[in-house]
């Protein structure tokens, strides 16, 4: 996801294992891949500068279903 892109999200409160979701984490919106590991949720990001984060609870706002790439700058 690049600056200026539009992310298309299906509003739903759950995400399947490995799905890209929009999550609310400590008052910040994050887009990442959701994984369930043991008793924790892991959010993994495509950007290698960001390490995965592990959470006991996560608020899922929706599932990413598409992306509209902004080609005009």
């Amino acid at each position: 996801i690049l600056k200026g892109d539009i992310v298309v999200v299906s509003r739903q409160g759950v995400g399947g294992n490995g799905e890209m979701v929009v999550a609310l984490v400590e008052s910040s919106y994050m887009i990442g891949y959701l994984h369930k590991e043991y008793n924790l949720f892991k959010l993994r990001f495509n950007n290698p500068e960001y390490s995965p984060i592990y959470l006991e609870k996560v608020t899922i706002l929706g599932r990413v279903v598409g992306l509209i790439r902004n080609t005009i700058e």
Side-chain angles (χ1 to χ4, degrees):
I1 302 170
L2 304 174
K3 183 178 179 179
D5 288 349
I6 298 171
V7 177
V8 181
V9 178
S10 171
R11 269 193 194 179
Q12 56 191 63
V14 296
N17 201 37
E19 288 187 323
M20 185 180 280
V21 298
V22 177
L24 182 61
V25 179
E26 297 178 8
S27 72
S28 294
Y29 299 101
M30 298 187 173
I31 297 175
Y33 293 94
L34 180 68
H35 298 277
K36 178 79 170 165
E37 292 188 4
Y38 305 101
N39 293 328
L40 297 174
F41 294 97
K42 176 173 95 170
L43 270 181
R44 180 181 58 78
F45 308 102
N46 272 346
N47 188 333
E49 294 182 21
Y50 295 99
S51 298
I53 58 173
Y54 293 85
L55 307 158
E56 290 182 10
K57 290 173 37 176
V58 63
T59 301
I60 303 299
L61 301 175
R63 183 173 56 92
V64 175
V65 295
L67 175 82
I68 301 170
R69 174 78 11 109
N70 180 9
T71 57
I72 301 171
E73 292 195 27

